Amino acid sequence: MTGTIALALAATGCGGGTGAGSAPGKVTSITALDYYTDEPEHSQWGEILTSCGKSAGVRVEQTSVPGASLIPKVLQRASSRTLPDLLMLDNPDLQQIAQTGALTPLGQYGINSGGYAKGILSAGTYNGKVYGLAPYVSTIALFYNKDMLAKAGVAVPRTWDELKTAAARLTRPGRYGMAVDANATFEGTWQFLPFLWSNGGDEKHLDTPQAAQALQLWVDLVKSGSMSKSVLNWTQADVHDQFVAGRTAMMINGPWRIPALDKDRNLHWGVAPIPVPRTGQTPVTPLGGEVWTVPQSASRARQEKAARVLACLNSSSTMLALAEQHFTVPSRPAVAAQYAGQVPSMAAFAKSVEAARSRTGELGVRWPKAATGMYTAIQSALTGEQTPEEALRHAQRIATSN
């Protein structure tokens, strides 16, 4: 696959290639790069790109690379302007790539960026200009085992106090009440953000009482035995496996888990918003998902064609089709509401997206350092090496280091 990738990227050149056998200046094909390597996702996206390509009058040649390889490839090709015509990026990575000057503002193609939730639009914006648009987004919520809660006489927790009480009552030999992904990666930070943000915490200032209170909640859950110490090493996939196996009654996870949960006919589960510090608050969750961009190239004609495909990907009908395939939330609230009405298990996610935030909205290209500081603090506090306050002071130093 590596050879194919190199050829595809080099062929993009991305000069004014016009497609084999075509008349000078006429664009018959464009290239697209994404990280959808797994099936059926790769094929599903291939079909969508083909369909949108037809509407734009071009053939879209899709190349997919593993997620970890995408940004190194993009940075390698950005300086020489040999990026593909259409480029997918995980939304936190857009700032870094836009900063290089490798992307074009979408406004110059007349693409309408109206009708998006504020946080979603922020994820594709750099220095006040929209460089990327997401057909759909995702976030996280609280999954719970209906049978376990009913047997223990526990209501679905809505606040932090209720969460601690419920988790304690649901914990018994062989089963924990609650599970999160607290590992030392950006995934651990992603799961912590709803607790930080909903309590008024801020990634710009990690050493605050609000941040310490959020981290203390996780520490309390582990110390009380309501949450396994193994969360320090679990991925979101591991958390899912614990839930399916009945070893945890509640978990924080995303809607991409729903297809697998639906396959287990004996598992009766529900989804609710992530509990908040106080009654009546709205959880503030992070936005996941990918944005599509149009890189700089020597061919305005190719850019125009790529922009037309991008606009098609972000049409309401395509958003809905993609959401139905991938259990994601359409990026336009009106379409999201329609989808949530069709798929009730997605309602909590659609509701949370309305107030969700882009991870790079406050810090831009400095976000990765803050994220590293956060997951480092989580590890230190949950192992007992440092108090939440000490761990977060260290996190702030990491976030502001040169």
Side-chain angles (χ1 to χ4, degrees):
M1 179 172 282
T2 303
T4 305
I5 295 163
L7 286 171
L9 288 169
T12 312
C14 203
T18 57
S22 61
K26 180 175 173 59
V27 179
T28 58
S29 67
I30 63 168
T31 55
L33 180 64
D34 58 48
Y35 58 34
Y36 304 125
T37 54
D38 294 340
E39 292 294 353
E41 198 172 30
H42 176 77
S43 296
Q44 289 170 338
W45 268 102
E47 292 169 6
I48 291 287
L49 288 167
T50 296
S51 176
C52 283
K54 286 180 180 177
S55 73
V58 291
R59 184 177 72 257
V60 180
E61 299 170 358
Q62 178 196 23
T63 300
S64 300
V65 300
S69 303
L70 182 65
I71 294 305
K73 282 285 183 186
V74 169
L75 290 172
Q76 177 188 349
R77 298 290 181 174
S79 59
S80 57
R81 299 293 186 263
T82 56
L83 286 168
D85 302 302
L86 190 62
L87 173 65
M88 187 272 326
L89 295 168
D90 193 13
N91 76 65
D93 295 324
L94 179 128
Q95 303 278 329
Q96 179 186 12
I97 305 306
Q99 187 185 42
T100 70
L103 307 178
T104 60
L106 300 182
Q108 70 184 41
Y109 307 110
I111 293 177
N112 179 16
S113 57
Y116 287 79
K118 181 181 177 182
I120 295 171
L121 199 57
S122 170
T125 300
Y126 174 73
N127 278 357
K129 294 183 178 180
V130 177
Y131 286 87
L133 287 175
Y136 58 64
V137 291
S138 62
T139 192
I140 44 182
L142 180 76
F143 287 80
Y144 57 93
N145 184 305
K146 290 182 176 180
D147 294 338
M148 290 180 184
L149 266 68
K151 188 173 182 180
V154 172
V156 178
R158 304 294 180 184
T159 66
W160 287 4
D161 284 343
E162 291 175 1
L163 175 62
K164 288 201 286 188
T165 300
R169 289 178 60 183
L170 289 162
T171 298
R172 58 195 57 192
R175 185 180 84 198
Y176 291 94
M178 179 67 176
V180 300
D181 165 356
N183 70 24
T185 70
F186 288 168
E187 203 172 84
T189 298
W190 155 265
Q191 288 233 331
F192 179 64
L193 285 173
F195 299 89
L196 173 74
W197 285 344
S198 298
N199 198 42
D202 189 332
E203 59 270 36
K204 292 187 293 185
H205 306 286
L206 294 172
D207 50 350
T208 63
Q210 292 88 344
Q213 288 162 5
L215 187 50
Q216 187 66 54
L217 172 67
W218 280 23
V219 170
D220 290 345
L221 287 167
V222 170
K223 275 190 174 180
S224 67
S226 297
M227 195 157 73
S228 171
K229 290 182 180 178
S230 296
V231 299
L232 286 159
N233 302 309
W234 285 347
T235 65
Q236 291 181 133
D238 295 329
V239 171
H240 166 91
D241 291 344
Q242 294 292 316
F243 184 76
V244 171
R247 291 191 288 270
T248 185
M250 299 182 291
M251 69 169 176
I252 303 296
N253 227 315
W256 52 86
R257 299 295 168 196
I258 291 177
L261 293 175
D262 279 341
K263 289 180 181 177
D264 190 336
R265 298 300 176 86
N266 296 319
L267 182 64
H268 305 124
W269 54 274
V271 189
I274 291 177
V276 290
R278 291 166 292 282
T279 303
Q281 289 182 305
T282 298
V284 183
T285 60
L287 282 170
E290 298 82 26
V291 294
W292 287 84
T293 67
V294 178
Q296 294 277 6
S297 78
S299 171
R300 174 72 184 191
R302 294 180 75 94
Q303 290 175 349
E304 292 280 0
K305 288 292 188 181
R308 287 183 60 185
V309 174
L310 186 150
C312 170
L313 293 177
N314 283 274
S315 67
S316 295
S317 58
T318 304
M319 282 183 181
L320 192 58
L322 287 166
E324 290 169 348
Q325 285 180 336
H326 304 294
F327 283 88
T328 50
V329 180
S331 293
R332 289 191 174 93
V335 186
Q338 178 185 350
Y339 177 54
Q342 297 172 3
V343 186
S345 60
M346 290 298 297
F349 296 102
K351 182 66 177 173
S352 293
V353 160
E354 293 176 12
R357 283 176 48 186
S358 160
R359 283 162 280 175
T360 54
E362 293 288 332
L363 294 176
V365 296
R366 292 183 292 125
W367 161 252
K369 284 188 176 180
T372 300
M374 276 185 263
Y375 71 64
T376 302
I378 291 167
Q379 292 277 311
S380 295
L382 266 59
T383 56
E385 292 177 12
Q386 293 179 304
T387 66
E389 290 80 6
E390 292 168 341
L392 288 164
R393 282 196 291 271
H394 180 58
Q396 181 65 15
R397 290 195 292 272
I398 294 173
T400 54
S401 62
N402 293 326

